Amino acid sequence: MGILSGNPQNEPMHYGEVFGVWSYLTVTKGMLAGYETFINHTGDKDLKTFLEDLTQSMKQEIEQVENLLKVNGVGLPPSPPERPTATLESIPVGARFNDPEIAARVSLDIAAGLVSCSQIMGQSIREDIATMFGQFHMSKATYGARLLRINKDKGWLVPPPLHLQTPEPAHA
């Protein structure tokens, strides 16, 4: 096998891995800045704690992915500036994101992140990269379940129409 027969960290990344990992880093950095803003807009204590935990996890992911790219000689995407802390009362009511809106957006992002991690895992030939994104995937699934519970407990989850009865099939 040549270059693919030893320690995976000594193997070069292929173009798909580089693009997937670099893109993941770019999006995660952007979402982190957005979530820092959401924390300023959040009035619900449980949602605020959730977002603070999630952003800490994202910072750890960013650090791991940046280290991977640096070691492999890949330039890093730019980082948006860290958002300042603001009080909820300093944000005009009409300009605030509402807690259910924040929770719905973050739920959507977590679902997209699960797909992204799965895609990177599937295209990776380096076990260390696949394992890293497998860990990110498990973390996102855990955060997704936690946010689902918050959405249900707060009454923010709006389910689609429930299909309770099945009509009889039409006979032609």
Side-chain angles (χ1 to χ4, degrees):
M1 285 280 299
I3 61 169
L4 301 179
S5 62
N7 181 347
Q9 294 178 345
N10 295 332
E11 297 172 6
M13 292 174 72
H14 66 70
Y15 290 112
E17 289 169 332
V18 170
F19 181 76
V21 171
W22 191 92
S23 297
Y24 182 87
L25 180 59
T26 301
V27 170
T28 303
K29 285 180 171 188
M31 286 191 322
L32 176 61
Y35 292 176
E36 289 170 342
T37 302
F38 283 164
I39 289 170
N40 291 334
H41 288 247
T42 301
D44 183 83
K45 181 181 175 250
D46 295 329
L47 183 59
K48 188 170 197 151
T49 299
F50 173 84
L51 289 171
E52 289 168 347
D53 292 348
L54 180 61
T55 56
Q56 285 307 309
S57 177
M58 293 169 75
K59 288 175 183 178
Q60 291 170 356
E61 285 185 10
I62 288 169
E63 185 178 334
Q64 283 183 263
V65 174
E66 283 182 340
N67 288 338
L68 172 69
L69 292 175
K70 285 178 190 175
V71 166
N72 285 278
V74 178
L76 301 178
S79 297
E82 212 174 294
R83 298 304 191 243
T85 302
T87 62
L88 182 62
E89 296 76 28
S90 68
I91 304 169
V93 174
R96 289 184 200 163
F97 289 105
N98 297 321
D99 292 336
E101 295 169 333
I102 293 169
R105 179 67 224 192
V106 175
S107 294
L108 176 80
D109 291 343
I110 290 171
L114 289 166
V115 173
S116 180
C117 287
S118 294
Q119 183 177 12
I120 293 168
M121 288 164 41
Q123 73 185 13
S124 292
I125 59 174
R126 281 185 44 175
E127 295 93 344
D128 60 328
I129 295 173
T131 300
M132 178 188 296
F133 280 88
Q135 291 168 348
F136 294 169
H137 190 279
M138 289 188 328
S139 176
K140 286 184 189 324
T142 301
Y143 277 109
R146 187 173 157 197
L147 186 54
L148 176 59
R149 176 53 42 209
I150 291 171
N151 277 314
K152 286 182 174 182
D153 289 347
K154 305 292 179 179
W156 299 336
L157 182 66
V158 180
L162 301 176
H163 188 74
L164 300 175
Q165 297 178 346
T166 306
E168 295 217 16
H171 299 287

